[in-house]
Amino acid sequence: MAETEAALRTLAYNVRTARTRAGLSLDELGRRAKVSKGSLIALEKAQGNPNFATLVRLADTLGVSVSSLMEGASQERVRVVSAEAVMPLWAGTHGSEARLMLTTSGPTTVEVWRWKLQPGEEYPSHPHQAGVVETLSVTAGRMVLVVDGVDHPVEAGQTAAFDADTPHTYRGDGGGTCHLIMTVHLPPGPA
């Protein structure tokens, strides 16, 4: 329980800091991110339990990565992260999951995700801010990437890249589990 409380305090601090840096009031952030003011107040007080979609909308609106909202400052020159050390930010009902492994720092930010998709299970994503590019590298199995309503099959050994400022969905396909590494490239600066 102490880890959860510490994570909520870090999230609260990072959201408040990013909101202040962006010069947004609670009302304006809520309007832009489509999150209620009450939820934002609770979040900035380290209360509540925001879901993955809320975190993505807040990060997009603030022009930061999801992990920058969740992580404390890193003092390490080299970071090695084990998948078992990172809790899934999304879990499907049939065993699919998405884990945000780490985020790079520098002039542009890149998030590195590890996904597991079961056949037929999908995650629909809202459009991200303009300039966000996603790259999906399938390491095992098969998936279908749906961008603007068009299916794009991606199999083991293949990589797909797309501008993520349009509706998109990741869906497991074939007879077995699909494993993939996703990178999310964010544009520099606030949204």
Side-chain angles (χ1 to χ4, degrees):
M1 189 58 107
E3 285 181 14
T4 302
E5 291 171 2
L8 279 173
R9 283 192 305 273
T10 298
L11 177 62
Y13 174 82
N14 290 340
V15 168
R16 188 172 41 255
T17 300
R19 179 179 62 78
T20 302
R21 188 178 306 125
L24 297 174
S25 67
L26 285 166
D27 287 325
E28 185 61 15
L29 176 58
R31 186 186 66 73
R32 291 184 186 184
K34 296 179 178 65
V35 176
S36 74
K37 182 178 178 181
S39 294
L40 287 174
I41 290 170
L43 179 60
E44 288 193 4
K45 289 182 176 182
Q47 300 169 349
N49 185 17
N51 65 31
F52 177 53
T54 298
L55 292 176
V56 170
R57 286 194 311 272
L58 287 171
D60 279 349
T61 302
L62 293 167
V64 299
S65 66
V66 172
S67 64
S68 72
L69 294 178
M70 300 173 56
E71 293 178 347
S74 174
Q75 305 301 322
E76 302 295 324
R77 183 173 174 99
V78 175
R79 292 181 290 159
V80 177
V81 180
S82 169
E84 295 77 32
V86 179
M87 294 299 297
L89 287 179
W90 171 74
T93 57
H94 301 296
S96 297
E97 63 181 29
R99 296 174 190 256
L100 177 57
M101 300 303 295
L102 60 84
T103 300
T104 64
S105 58
T108 59
T109 302
V110 177
E111 297 176 345
V112 179
W113 293 80
R114 183 181 299 264
W115 282 75
K116 180 170 62 172
L117 293 169
Q118 298 301 336
E121 195 158 33
E122 65 182 32
Y123 179 82
S125 180
H126 73 283
H128 300 296
Q129 65 180 335
V132 172
V133 175
E134 290 189 10
T135 303
L136 310 171
S137 294
V138 175
T139 59
R142 175 184 163 98
M143 70 168 294
V144 175
L145 170 64
V146 183
V147 178
D148 270 339
V150 178
D151 288 4
H152 303 274
V154 187
E155 298 182 11
Q158 294 182 323
T159 299
F162 65 100
D163 294 331
D165 59 353
T166 186
H168 52 283
T169 299
Y170 324 110
R171 182 174 59 236
D173 196 34
T177 303
C178 175
H179 295 270
L180 64 112
I181 302 296
M182 173 195 295
T183 57
V184 180
H185 305 259
L186 292 114

